[in-house]
Amino acid sequence: MTIFHDLLRSSAATHGGRIALLFGEEQLSYEDVLVRAEGLAVKLTSEGIGPDDHLAVVMDNSLECVLVWLASSIIGCTEVPVNPQYRGTLLHYMLADAQVTAAVCDACYLPGILDVAAQLPDLKRVLVNGHDAGSGSFPVTIRSLDVSATPEQFVGVESAPERIILYTSGTTGPSKGVVHTQRSMLVLSRYNAEVMGYGEHDRLLNFFPLFHQNARYTGVIPALCSGASIRIERKLSTSTFWQTCDRDRITAFNYLGSVLRMILNVTGPERHTGMHSVKKAFGAGASPGVWAEFEDRLGIALYETYGLSEAPMATLNLPENRSPRGSAGRASALFDVAVVDEDDELRPAGEMGEIVLRPRRADALMAGYHNNDAATAHALRGGWFHSGDRGFLNAAGDLYFEERAKDSIRRRGENISAWEVESVLEQHPAVAEAAVCGVACDDREEEVAASLIPSDANASLADIVAFARQRLPAYAVPTLMRLVPDLPRTPTAKVRKEELRAVPRASYCALPAACKQEGLLE
């Protein structure tokens, strides 16, 4: 029996008919979750999915998505949660790099998978939720998947990899697959539930995508560990946020800094301590001003953290042992934290450097990067995980996260790989070279800005952004573009991204406004 299968069985035995999951008008008890997940595991097995498979899940947030994820964890195969907005080159890269042998997808994402399936020698079958597979000639076997199939008990497996591959945003190269195990993710989930004090009285709210570690292992699994309930939304709707909290008596939710500002923007003066059910929130990136609004006016305690897919919940800023607002707090029970210079020497308090982490508990840190021993060795050199992030520690040991030293951009809660956006833009025949960076806007979020050297004097930004929209997730499509004769470079011809980040916003074409006129953007 796998780690998560045992969790589902013990939770069902303990909590039985208590509500576990809610989505829309649907709700499942702890017993329902076990029965439905085991039945679906039987169905997947009958379709040829076994412990040796690498199974990609390409689905929007839904109960079906949760059940497919849990069923695959019962089977014990290697799970690969995939951002369903990925398409073309990026989708092909991820499925190929993860050596995906099978996939489950929503019907709307089948065409994107079929577009790249012929170039994926490992991919053998695709199971489609909400779709009649019909007939036709396809490069892989396509079958319909009835997620609501008749329940059937799954006996269990004797041994299985029980691995999860979570893809980072790429930095100066393609995204890397972070390998964790069910055991390591259960360590994280139980620690999160312990820190947050979750219990049967809690009802959580999740609006982050289920391919994220955040939603899975600091959301759904902590709820199931503690007897709580969790409402899953397809995405954040600020217009209905408080209505949902009131209706379901939500007590906790996860956040990013930009999410908190969006919630404050729709929070009227009648909302204050004692006038709602929300007690606490877990996340990262809360600015001091927003933090004060949530805690002092709304009475919602923020549990701030710093971490990465490789090393989650590395620090904590907790209400009962508060560090200064705006800091990510001090080392958690999972990691030691230090800041080093380029020679890996410790930096004095208050001086900027790279944040490095060392696990205090077994399974707190990733097992490594999938099929990338060189990257694993580089990241784990000297006995510490090198985050690539910049920050400093004050004399009390509080961590202040400054920026991603890696070449990534933060937008709409996503870390976007500048390299991946550049690689797509450079596929356009009118683009000779692309350089992408983040341009700061409110709440520590960024816009994606692209500087392009054209290969064609008649290059059209409208054509280029339309090309990008067909090949990139919506949140990664540049909103600022400009054509330039050359790019600022180092003596070794590398692009100076720091100079590009200093380019005034007015120097770019603001694409949403420009392209609406041509009917290219909604």
Side-chain angles (χ1 to χ4, degrees), residues 106-421:
D106 289 329
C108 58
Y109 300 117
L110 178 61
I113 294 176
L114 291 179
D115 283 345
V116 300
Q119 290 78 49
L120 296 169
D122 294 319
L123 183 63
K124 305 303 180 188
R125 57 181 61 82
V126 179
L127 306 179
V128 188
N129 174 49
H131 175 75
D132 182 358
S135 59
S137 177
F138 303 109
V140 294
T141 299
I142 301 175
R143 298 287 299 272
S144 300
L145 179 66
D146 183 3
V147 177
S148 62
T150 303
E152 187 174 347
Q153 187 174 24
F154 188 84
V155 175
V157 294
E158 292 185 3
S159 64
E162 300 185 35
R163 301 194 313 163
I164 303 101
I165 303 178
L166 301 168
Y167 275 83
T168 66
S169 60
T171 55
T172 54
S175 300
K176 296 187 288 292
V178 178
V179 178
H180 282 287
T181 63
Q182 290 186 26
R183 185 177 300 280
S184 68
M185 291 296 92
L186 188 58
V187 167
L188 170 63
S189 297
R190 283 180 169 157
Y191 183 58
N192 178 262
E194 174 190 339
V195 166
M196 297 301 292
Y198 292 145
E200 294 183 357
H201 57 283
D202 280 301
R203 179 161 290 180
L204 284 57
L205 173 63
N206 172 73
F207 37 72
F208 288 113
L210 286 164
F211 58 84
H212 270 191
Q213 187 180 74
N214 179 313
R216 283 177 157 227
Y217 307 115
T218 61
V220 173
I221 300 301
L224 298 182
C225 285
S226 55
S229 306
I230 183 166
R231 171 166 285 284
I232 296 168
E233 299 276 78
R234 195 173 299 278
K235 59 183 179 180
L236 172 65
S237 171
T238 55
S239 62
T240 62
F241 173 81
W242 285 114
Q243 177 183 338
T244 299
C245 289
D246 292 342
R247 182 193 64 222
D248 289 332
R249 305 299 297 168
I250 297 297
T251 62
F253 66 92
N254 284 10
Y255 68 83
L256 294 170
S258 56
V259 166
L260 295 181
R261 170 54 64 188
M262 293 166 66
I263 291 171
L264 282 181
N265 288 342
V266 297
T267 302
E270 75 283 357
R271 295 282 179 184
H272 52 78
T273 302
M275 298 303 294
H276 56 82
S277 58
V278 183
K279 305 299 181 186
K280 49 200 169 186
F282 173 84
S287 63
V290 169
W291 202 320
E293 283 282 299
F294 267 83
E295 292 200 331
D296 299 342
R297 178 163 75 89
L298 297 176
I300 299 174
L302 298 190
Y303 292 68
E304 181 85 356
T305 189
Y306 164 78
L308 307 93
S309 297
E310 296 93 331
M313 286 186 70
T315 70
L316 288 169
N317 191 340
L318 302 177
E320 60 270 23
N321 187 24
R322 183 61 82 205
S323 297
R325 287 172 174 167
S327 91
R330 301 174 187 176
S332 72
L334 300 181
F335 290 93
D336 292 321
V337 181
V339 173
V340 300
D341 62 17
E342 58 273 13
D343 296 319
D344 287 347
E345 296 293 332
L346 290 175
R347 301 290 286 172
E351 292 193 15
M352 194 74 66
E354 182 184 13
I355 301 167
V356 294
L357 309 167
R358 182 171 60 193
R360 292 177 172 178
R361 291 189 189 179
D363 297 313
L365 185 67
M366 68 168 181
Y369 294 115
H370 179 66
N371 273 353
N372 199 335
D373 291 342
T376 301
H378 181 71
L380 300 180
R381 63 189 184 276
W384 292 80
F385 169 69
H386 288 66
S387 70
D389 292 344
R390 291 179 58 77
F392 68 89
L393 292 167
N394 66 13
D398 301 308
L399 177 68
Y400 288 80
F401 168 73
E402 183 68 18
E403 63 179 7
R404 301 283 180 192
K406 300 176 289 189
D407 196 9
S408 63
I409 302 156
R410 187 69 163 175
R411 184 181 181 211
R412 297 183 190 174
E414 300 284 350
N415 286 321
I416 301 165
S417 163
W419 182 91
E420 288 181 346
V421 177

Side-chain angles (χ1 to χ4, degrees), residues 1-6 9 34 37-42 45 49-51 70-77 152-160 162 182:
M1 184 182 301
T2 66
I3 296 290
F4 280 2
H5 192 185
D6 181 66
R9 284 198 171 177
L34 174 64
E38 283 192 339
L40 187 54
V42 172
T45 302
I49 308 298
L70 295 178
S72 67
S73 72
I74 288 173
I75 294 170
C77 57
E152 187 174 347
Q153 187 174 24
F154 188 84
V155 175
V157 294
E158 292 185 3
S159 64
E162 300 185 35
Q182 290 186 26

